[in-house]
Amino acid sequence: MTPRAEVVAADGIALTLRGRRVLRGATLAAHTGEIVGLLGRNGCGKTTLLRVLTGDVRAQAGFVRIHGQRLERPRLHRLALAGVFMLPERGLLSPLATVGQHVDRLALRFNADPAPAIESVRVGDLLDRLPAQLSTGERRRIELALALTRAPSCLIADEPLRGIAPRDMEILLPALRDLATRGCAILLTGHEVPSVMDIADTIVWMSGGTTHSLGPPSAALEHHSFRLDYLGPP
């Protein structure tokens, strides 16, 4: 089997905010075609680590690598040119543009055909709607359609499965797996443990601002401290 190439990595990230150590040597990596699930309690530093990866927050120690290139201070616009697509928890849709306008603008920007993405996440009947007229799951499906149209080398998604209905979950999970099958490295956070375990290739547990790479989901489920401190009793 050909080794997977590293697409995005954080190495030894440390960060103190307002006198509190938020990140302590946090380290992780996502490779081509790999889905990495970053799990941990609220406030453990998951979102902050993603913000460091995308240049929204500057770490005091450590560095980020994109396609093997070391970046002391990543910038989102430069990462976008390198194929990184960020899906923040708050979402990325403009309230003033219809779904179709979002899709058309992205397709024009990257000279891409959005039809396969629209069909994949089943949003063809939503193109005339504004974001305020959509459910949380519908918005997430549309955001994923934008990512699929962009065909990124790396998707970083913060809580993409939060607050969505089972029907939307049944659409989103296969679409994420399809994106990874095309070679995209995916790094996502979430508390929907069964769904994350079902789709992830690798689990990284974050606790107290640092990371623990637990390997595949089957190994993570056997990790005593992870089960005790995060999953809780069976």
Side-chain angles (χ1 to χ4, degrees):
M1 181 181 294
T2 304
R4 290 174 169 175
E6 179 187 276
V7 178
V8 61
D11 197 334
I13 302 296
L15 177 66
T16 298
L17 293 175
R18 294 182 291 277
R20 183 173 78 89
R21 180 61 65 90
V22 179
L23 299 174
R24 308 167 182 266
T27 298
L28 55 74
H31 300 76
T32 54
E34 179 184 30
I35 300 179
V36 177
L38 179 61
L39 299 177
R41 294 177 179 271
N42 287 331
C44 70
K46 301 187 303 297
T47 295
T48 302
L49 181 57
L50 297 191
R51 293 179 68 193
V52 170
L53 275 169
T54 56
D56 192 36
V57 173
R58 186 170 186 175
Q60 283 130 7
F63 54 87
V64 172
R65 289 192 304 273
I66 301 293
H67 299 296
Q69 180 183 2
R70 176 170 166 166
L71 304 175
E72 299 294 342
R73 179 71 191 273
R75 300 285 189 178
L76 187 55
H77 70 279
R78 294 180 61 187
L79 298 180
L81 292 175
V84 177
F85 192 101
M86 175 63 184
L87 181 53
E89 182 182 1
R90 65 182 180 275
L92 48 74
L93 301 180
S94 167
L96 302 179
T98 66
V99 171
Q101 288 170 332
H102 280 93
V103 172
D104 289 343
R105 289 170 185 172
L106 190 78
L108 181 63
R109 170 68 177 82
F110 294 103
N111 190 28
D113 178 10
I118 291 171
E119 181 178 357
S120 174
V121 294
R122 307 177 203 174
V123 295
D125 59 338
L126 304 176
L127 297 179
D128 293 331
R129 297 191 191 180
L130 292 168
Q133 299 171 310
L134 304 170
S135 70
T136 300
E138 288 170 337
R139 287 195 296 272
R140 281 308 192 191
R141 282 195 280 143
I142 289 155
E143 289 164 347
L144 188 53
L146 297 177
L148 289 166
T149 300
R150 171 66 177 91
S153 61
C154 178
L155 172 65
I156 299 175
D158 194 11
E159 299 275 4
L161 307 178
R162 183 177 181 180
I164 66 175
R167 176 180 178 273
D168 295 305
M169 190 79 76
E170 290 174 0
I171 296 171
L172 282 171
L173 294 183
L176 285 167
R177 174 47 64 191
D178 179 61
L179 185 59
T181 300
R182 301 184 202 178
C184 181
I186 299 176
L187 172 60
L188 58 85
T189 69
H191 294 286
E192 300 77 15
V193 174
S195 296
V196 173
M197 290 288 186
D198 183 56
I199 194 174
D201 300 297
T202 301
I203 298 296
V204 176
W205 174 36
M206 189 160 226
S207 178
T210 196
T211 50
H212 311 271
S213 183
L214 305 184
S218 58
L221 291 172
E222 297 299 322
H223 191 280
H224 176 72
S225 296
F226 176 65
R227 292 194 60 86
L228 182 65
D229 295 342
Y230 182 66
L231 297 181

